[in-house]
Amino acid sequence: MGTALDSSIPLVDLSQDEAAAAQQVYAACSGPGFFYAAHHGIPQELLSELFKQMRAAFALPEQDKMAMLADENNRGYTPYAEETLDPAKQTRGDTKEGFYFGREVPADSEEGQLPLHGPNQWPPEQLLPGFRQTVTAYCDAATGLGMRLLRLLALSLGLPGGYFASYFTHPMVALRPLHYTAEVSSPGEGVFGAGAHSDYGMLTLLATDEVPGLQVHLNGSWQDVQPLPGAFIVNLGDMLERWSNGIFKSTLHRVINTTGQERYSIPFFFEPNFTAKVECLPCCVTEERPAAYPPTTAGEHLLAMYAQTHAGYDVNRKAQGTAATVA
């Protein structure tokens, strides 16, 4: 398994056969918990159009963005400093603004009654022509890639390739475009582009521009993760660490602005069904390695984490009356 850009982050070649790719995935996931995914099959033209549309969205007047302020489903615009990913060390919120877009769920459907589910808040077509079409196409493509990676994860653990599919029949997906300001970070003063955190869910597929900033905490120190043209940066979330009983790593990472440049990145969070039960897999539990995590559900875990880190998110606004559904 090769590494990229003299980095400690390995590269997984998705053009090879599944068995070989699964071996690379296992090494990456049981090691740094990050990898570059090359030959992923998502057209560069679609990625380029997505970044073009997102830059235009962030350039909208403030009143147009605030008209899409994130709602009870965590869909919409999140202003500068609304998110604080490392409250213990940050003196103010992250120096970024963002959006959340998810799988489109009708508000009057049964699924639409669940927290974090519902219709998206789209900018008017006349403001951003083609925006919704581009985002939808990209989310569909990224979901397909996520399902491919689930197969490799299952195979890498000695499970059938389709093992995780039943947990992702109605996945919670979140496209999270981010615009970081040009403000230089000052960790000593508690100022970060994005505070140190691990991701909450299953997998994150990160597309980023050419501006550096992402760092991962490996071997006791912070290490830069450079952009690699044509590849996604993939990292694991807490739910996969729980499922694998700690064999796979959900690694701390942060964003530090050292260049004084603006930065755009577009993470795609790929999570299980809201009601999916997440507990240590039997194949990952032994006498020497007993189950280290209690069972939970994907929805319960995400709601708790959003409540901790988003000033604008109230976990109780929609959670009333869903306990029976979640159980």
Side-chain angles (χ1 to χ4, degrees), residues 53-92:
Q53 291 282 0
M54 291 308 167
R55 287 173 182 267
F58 285 120
L60 289 172
E62 192 69 17
Q63 65 267 25
D64 290 329
K65 291 186 287 189
M66 291 301 290
M68 296 180 279
L69 190 65
D71 60 13
E72 63 180 3
N73 300 310
N74 211 36
R75 309 287 180 97
Y77 175 65
T78 55
Y80 286 112
E82 184 271 346
E83 187 172 28
T84 305
L85 284 164
D86 189 5
K89 293 186 179 177
Q90 289 181 249
T91 54
R92 53 187 171 95

Side-chain angles (χ1 to χ4, degrees), residues 299-314:
E300 288 170 335
H301 180 69
L302 287 182
L303 287 173
M305 298 310 297
Y306 283 145
Q308 288 179 30
T309 56
H310 282 284
Y313 186 72
D314 178 1

Side-chain angles (χ1 to χ4, degrees), residues 22 68 73 89 128 218 224 260 274:
M68 296 180 279
N73 300 310
K89 293 186 179 177
L128 293 177
L218 296 174
D224 294 327
F274 186 88

Side-chain angles (χ1 to χ4, degrees), residues 3 21 53 66 88 91 101 138 165 169 186 192 197 212 214 223 226 236 249 303 309 312 322 324:
T3 58
Q53 291 282 0
M66 291 301 290
T91 54
F101 300 98
Y138 181 78
T169 54
S186 178
F192 297 83
H197 65 285
L214 177 63
Q223 301 183 28
Q226 298 293 341
L236 317 184
K249 311 300 183 189
L303 287 173
T309 56
T322 63

